[in-house]
Amino acid sequence: MPGYGFRSREEWGDLIIDYISNRSQLKRLFILIDPTAGLKDTDRNIMQMMDEKAVSYQIILTKRDKLRPEAYHLSKTAIEKYL
């Protein structure tokens, strides 16, 4: 599935949101978040949308190797605080 960041919603529209919302076989959605960038508005929006539609999701932090342990911990803590 494509990302939901810059221009991607224009590219795939609401079709994928309908698919995610109405697909009974879907058990969990994995949301990939780059901890070097932190949570973006698009991340918050998709999580809020999934909460509203009662879709189970899990956050996966990517690019772990791009941050020093201290910076990763700070980013992870900020993301966990939002959740």
Side-chain angles (χ1 to χ4, degrees):
M1 180 180 119
Y4 49 83
F6 178 71
R7 287 184 38 95
S8 62
R9 191 153 202 189
E10 296 170 16
E11 294 169 8
W12 47 260
D14 292 326
L15 180 65
I16 196 70
I17 299 301
D18 287 340
Y19 176 84
I20 290 169
S21 301
N22 298 311
R23 184 76 177 178
S24 61
Q25 293 91 342
L26 181 67
K27 301 299 179 201
R28 176 166 290 187
L29 179 72
F30 294 97
I31 300 175
L32 305 179
I33 295 181
D34 178 355
T36 62
L39 278 178
K40 297 179 182 177
D41 287 341
T42 51
D43 299 321
R44 289 182 185 90
N45 290 341
I46 197 76
M47 286 187 273
Q48 181 179 358
M49 193 179 312
M50 295 302 101
D51 287 339
E52 290 169 1
K53 297 183 180 295
V55 174
S56 175
Y57 62 88
Q58 182 174 340
I59 303 300
I60 307 285
L61 299 179
T62 63
K63 301 182 183 177
R64 170 69 175 92
D65 59 325
K66 302 290 183 188
L67 291 173
R68 292 193 325 253
E70 303 83 24
Y72 174 78
H73 179 71
L74 285 173
S75 181
K76 180 179 176 247
T77 300
I79 291 167
E80 287 173 339
K81 198 176 275 191
Y82 175 80
L83 298 173

